[in-house]
Amino acid sequence: ALPIYFSRGVLALQKANIKGTGTDMQVQASIPLNRAAPLSLLAQGTMDLQIAQLFDPDITSSGQMRFDINSFGARANPDVQGQIHIENANVLSNGAPVGLQNGNGVLTLTKDRLDISEFNGSVGGGKVKASGGIVYRPAVRFDLGLSAHGIRVPYPEGMREALNADLALTGSIEAAT
């Protein structure tokens, strides 16, 4: 059981360790029910990316996610900072002709944005690179880029096509280009 306590209007999760196959996380939080009081959240550790298979059994995944995230300040405007490292990620969806192999990258979390500091991997024998970020405050907006070179896709059946692409996605959830 997690060490969760409620005292004087504050819900507190004392430092707890969560361990499992390929996963070792430490979490700690202090969440006041009074909206004006400051909150804090700390999450550090590693997680096996096979966990994605729990959410979608049609996915085969492996690799590690290493993270160090710290949030503190007023609930209305907390200061969030941290990094998420993706290491040797492999993801394949059943029925998809190709999947991600050896994905490695760094995501940087700031007060109002998640940036792809770097992300590289292989798809269909070719190279992919992602860039950009997602602004999540005050409203969700994104500016994401994907560059792909030398990807081989088995389409149509019995043939292999080579693919190069540079894609950009910008805008909001309501209006994207």
Side-chain angles (χ1 to χ4, degrees):
L2 293 175
I4 299 175
Y5 301 95
F6 182 74
S7 176
R8 299 182 184 196
V10 176
L11 183 63
L13 169 62
Q14 291 185 341
K15 193 166 196 174
N17 290 328
I18 301 169
K19 291 187 179 201
T21 304
T23 299
D24 185 3
M25 300 179 354
Q26 297 82 42
V27 293
Q28 183 175 351
S30 174
I31 304 168
L33 298 182
N34 175 348
R35 294 187 67 84
L39 67 85
S40 68
L41 170 68
L42 176 67
Q44 297 174 316
T46 59
M47 182 180 298
D48 191 323
L49 293 175
Q50 277 188 318
I51 197 164
Q53 295 169 202
L54 294 175
F55 300 102
D56 187 347
D58 290 333
I59 291 177
T60 302
S61 58
S62 65
Q64 286 280 315
M65 177 172 62
R66 203 167 28 93
F67 52 92
D68 184 359
I69 300 169
N70 192 3
S71 175
F72 52 89
R75 281 202 312 188
N77 193 19
D79 188 10
V80 180
Q81 54 188 311
Q83 284 195 325
I84 301 167
H85 295 260
I86 308 293
E87 299 171 346
N88 301 316
N90 298 291
V91 180
L92 178 63
S93 178
N94 292 344
V98 293
L100 174 68
Q101 298 171 333
N102 200 31
N104 291 284
V106 178
L107 308 175
T108 302
L109 188 60
T110 64
K111 187 173 187 167
D112 56 2
R113 185 174 170 90
L114 177 67
D115 280 313
I116 302 172
S117 300
E118 64 179 275
F119 189 85
N120 298 288
S122 297
V123 173
K127 300 292 181 194
V128 293
K129 181 176 183 172
S131 59
I134 300 171
V135 173
Y136 56 85
R137 254 193 304 186
V140 176
R141 296 196 55 79
F142 40 84
D143 59 350
L144 300 169
L146 179 70
S147 175
H149 298 282
I151 294 176
R152 293 182 306 275
V153 180
Y155 182 82
E157 190 172 324
M159 297 192 61
R160 279 199 155 327
E161 295 289 329
L163 174 69
N164 294 327
D166 288 309
L167 304 171
L169 179 63
T170 61
S172 66
I173 293 171
E174 297 80 24
T177 305

Coordinates of all heavy atoms in Angstrom, one line a residue, residues 13 15-19 23-29 41-47 64-71 81-85:
L13 N 1.4 12.1 -0.2 CA 1.9 10.8 -0.5 C 3.4 10.9 -0.1 O 4.2 11.6 -0.7 CB 1.8 10.5 -2.0 CG 2.6 9.3 -2.5 CD1 2.1 8.0 -1.9 CD2 2.5 9.3 -4.0
K15 N 7.2 9.7 0.4 CA 8.1 9.1 -0.6 C 7.9 7.6 -0.6 O 7.9 6.9 0.4 CB 9.6 9.4 -0.3 CG 10.5 9.1 -1.4 CD 11.9 9.7 -1.2 CE 12.6 9.6 -2.5 NZ 13.9 10.3 -2.4
A16 N 7.6 7.1 -1.8 CA 7.3 5.7 -2.0 C 8.0 5.2 -3.2 O 8.3 5.9 -4.1 CB 5.8 5.5 -2.3
N17 N 8.4 3.9 -3.1 CA 9.1 3.2 -4.2 C 8.2 2.3 -4.8 O 7.5 1.5 -4.1 CB 10.4 2.5 -3.7 CG 11.5 3.4 -3.2 OD1 11.6 4.5 -3.8 ND2 12.2 3.0 -2.2
I18 N 8.2 2.2 -6.1 CA 7.4 1.3 -6.9 C 8.4 0.5 -7.7 O 9.1 1.1 -8.6 CB 6.3 2.0 -7.8 CG1 5.4 2.8 -6.9 CG2 5.6 1.0 -8.6 CD1 4.5 3.8 -7.7
K19 N 8.4 -0.8 -7.5 CA 9.4 -1.6 -8.2 C 8.7 -2.8 -8.9 O 7.7 -3.3 -8.4 CB 10.5 -2.2 -7.3 CG 11.4 -1.1 -6.7 CD 12.5 -1.8 -6.0 CE 13.4 -0.6 -5.5 NZ 14.7 -1.1 -5.2
T23 N 11.2 -1.8 -13.8 CA 10.7 -0.5 -13.4 C 11.1 -0.3 -11.9 O 11.1 -1.2 -11.1 CB 9.1 -0.6 -13.4 OG1 8.7 -0.8 -14.8 CG2 8.5 0.7 -12.9
D24 N 11.6 0.9 -11.7 CA 12.0 1.4 -10.4 C 11.7 2.9 -10.3 O 12.4 3.7 -10.8 CB 13.5 1.1 -10.1 CG 13.9 1.4 -8.7 OD1 13.1 1.8 -7.9 OD2 15.1 1.2 -8.5
M25 N 10.6 3.2 -9.6 CA 10.2 4.6 -9.5 C 10.1 5.1 -8.0 O 9.8 4.3 -7.2 CB 8.8 4.8 -10.1 CG 8.7 4.4 -11.6 SD 7.1 4.6 -12.3 CE 6.0 5.1 -11.1
Q26 N 10.4 6.4 -7.8 CA 10.1 7.0 -6.5 C 9.2 8.1 -6.8 O 9.4 8.9 -7.7 CB 11.4 7.5 -5.9 CG 12.4 6.5 -5.6 CD 13.3 6.1 -6.8 OE1 13.7 6.9 -7.6 NE2 13.5 4.8 -6.9
V27 N 8.1 8.2 -6.0 CA 7.1 9.3 -6.1 C 6.9 9.9 -4.7 O 7.0 9.2 -3.7 CB 5.8 8.8 -6.7 CG1 6.0 8.4 -8.2 CG2 5.2 7.7 -5.9
Q28 N 6.6 11.2 -4.8 CA 6.2 11.9 -3.5 C 5.4 13.1 -3.9 O 5.6 13.7 -5.0 CB 7.5 12.4 -2.9 CG 7.3 13.1 -1.6 CD 8.6 13.5 -0.9 OE1 9.7 13.0 -1.3 NE2 8.6 14.2 0.2
A29 N 4.3 13.4 -3.1 CA 3.4 14.5 -3.5 C 2.8 15.1 -2.2 O 2.6 14.4 -1.2 CB 2.3 14.0 -4.4
L41 N 5.1 17.9 -6.3 CA 5.1 16.5 -6.9 C 6.5 16.2 -7.4 O 7.2 17.0 -8.0 CB 4.1 16.4 -8.1 CG 4.2 15.1 -8.9 CD1 3.7 13.9 -8.1 CD2 3.4 15.3 -10.2
L42 N 7.0 15.0 -7.0 CA 8.3 14.6 -7.4 C 8.2 13.1 -8.0 O 7.5 12.3 -7.3 CB 9.3 14.6 -6.2 CG 10.7 14.0 -6.5 CD1 11.4 14.9 -7.4 CD2 11.4 13.9 -5.2
A43 N 8.7 12.9 -9.2 CA 8.7 11.6 -9.8 C 10.0 11.3 -10.4 O 10.4 12.1 -11.2 CB 7.5 11.4 -10.8
Q44 N 10.7 10.3 -10.0 CA 12.0 9.9 -10.5 C 12.1 8.4 -10.7 O 11.5 7.7 -10.0 CB 13.1 10.3 -9.5 CG 13.2 11.8 -9.3 CD 14.2 12.1 -8.2 OE1 14.2 11.5 -7.1 NE2 14.9 13.2 -8.4
G45 N 12.9 8.0 -11.7 CA 13.1 6.6 -11.8 C 13.1 6.1 -13.3 O 13.3 6.9 -14.2
T46 N 12.9 4.8 -13.4 CA 12.9 4.2 -14.7 C 11.6 3.4 -14.9 O 11.1 2.9 -13.9 CB 14.1 3.3 -15.0 OG1 14.1 2.3 -14.0 CG2 15.4 4.1 -14.9
M47 N 11.2 3.2 -16.1 CA 10.0 2.4 -16.4 C 10.2 1.6 -17.7 O 10.7 2.1 -18.7 CB 8.8 3.3 -16.6 CG 7.5 2.6 -16.8 SD 6.1 3.7 -17.0 CE 6.0 4.5 -15.4
Q64 N 13.4 1.5 -22.4 CA 13.3 2.1 -21.1 C 12.9 3.6 -21.2 O 13.3 4.2 -22.2 CB 14.6 2.0 -20.3 CG 15.0 0.7 -19.8 CD 14.3 0.4 -18.5 OE1 14.2 1.2 -17.6 NE2 13.7 -0.8 -18.4
M65 N 12.2 4.1 -20.2 CA 12.0 5.5 -20.0 C 12.5 5.9 -18.7 O 12.2 5.3 -17.7 CB 10.5 5.8 -20.1 CG 10.2 7.3 -19.9 SD 8.4 7.7 -20.1 CE 7.6 6.8 -18.9
R66 N 13.5 6.8 -18.7 CA 14.1 7.3 -17.4 C 13.6 8.8 -17.2 O 13.6 9.5 -18.2 CB 15.6 7.3 -17.6 CG 16.4 7.2 -16.4 CD 17.8 6.9 -16.6 NE 18.4 7.3 -17.9 CZ 19.1 8.4 -18.1 NH1 19.2 9.3 -17.2 NH2 19.6 8.7 -19.3
F67 N 13.1 9.1 -16.0 CA 12.5 10.4 -15.8 C 12.9 11.0 -14.5 O 13.2 10.3 -13.5 CB 11.0 10.4 -16.0 CG 10.4 9.3 -15.1 CD1 9.9 9.6 -13.8 CD2 10.2 8.0 -15.6 CE1 9.3 8.7 -13.0 CE2 9.6 7.1 -14.8 CZ 9.2 7.4 -13.5
D68 N 12.9 12.3 -14.5 CA 13.2 13.1 -13.3 C 12.3 14.4 -13.4 O 12.7 15.3 -14.1 CB 14.7 13.5 -13.2 CG 15.0 14.2 -11.9 OD1 14.1 14.4 -11.1 OD2 16.2 14.5 -11.7
I69 N 11.2 14.4 -12.7 CA 10.2 15.5 -12.9 C 9.9 16.0 -11.5 O 9.7 15.3 -10.5 CB 8.9 14.9 -13.5 CG1 9.2 14.4 -14.9 CG2 7.9 16.0 -13.6 CD1 8.1 13.6 -15.5
N70 N 9.9 17.4 -11.4 CA 9.6 18.1 -10.1 C 8.7 19.2 -10.4 O 8.8 20.0 -11.4 CB 10.9 18.6 -9.6 CG 10.8 19.1 -8.2 OD1 9.8 19.0 -7.5 ND2 11.9 19.7 -7.6
S71 N 7.6 19.3 -9.6 CA 6.6 20.3 -9.8 C 6.3 20.9 -8.4 O 6.2 20.2 -7.4 CB 5.3 19.8 -10.4 OG 4.3 20.7 -10.4
Q81 N 9.3 21.2 -14.0 CA 10.6 21.0 -14.7 C 11.0 19.6 -14.6 O 10.7 18.9 -13.7 CB 11.6 22.0 -14.1 CG 11.8 21.8 -12.6 CD 12.7 22.9 -12.1 OE1 13.8 23.1 -12.6 NE2 12.3 23.5 -11.0
G82 N 11.7 19.2 -15.6 CA 12.3 17.9 -15.6 C 12.6 17.4 -17.0 O 12.5 18.1 -18.0
Q83 N 13.1 16.2 -17.0 CA 13.5 15.5 -18.3 C 13.0 14.1 -18.3 O 12.9 13.4 -17.3 CB 15.0 15.5 -18.5 CG 15.5 16.9 -18.9 CD 16.9 16.8 -19.5 OE1 17.8 16.0 -19.0 NE2 17.2 17.6 -20.4
I84 N 12.7 13.6 -19.5 CA 12.3 12.3 -19.8 C 13.3 11.7 -20.8 O 13.4 12.3 -21.9 CB 10.9 12.2 -20.2 CG1 9.9 12.8 -19.2 CG2 10.5 10.7 -20.5 CD1 8.5 13.0 -19.7
H85 N 14.0 10.7 -20.6 CA 14.9 10.1 -21.5 C 14.3 8.8 -22.0 O 13.9 7.9 -21.2 CB 16.2 9.7 -20.8 CG 17.0 10.9 -20.4 ND1 18.0 11.5 -21.1 CD2 16.8 11.7 -19.3 CE1 18.5 12.5 -20.4 NE2 17.8 12.7 -19.3

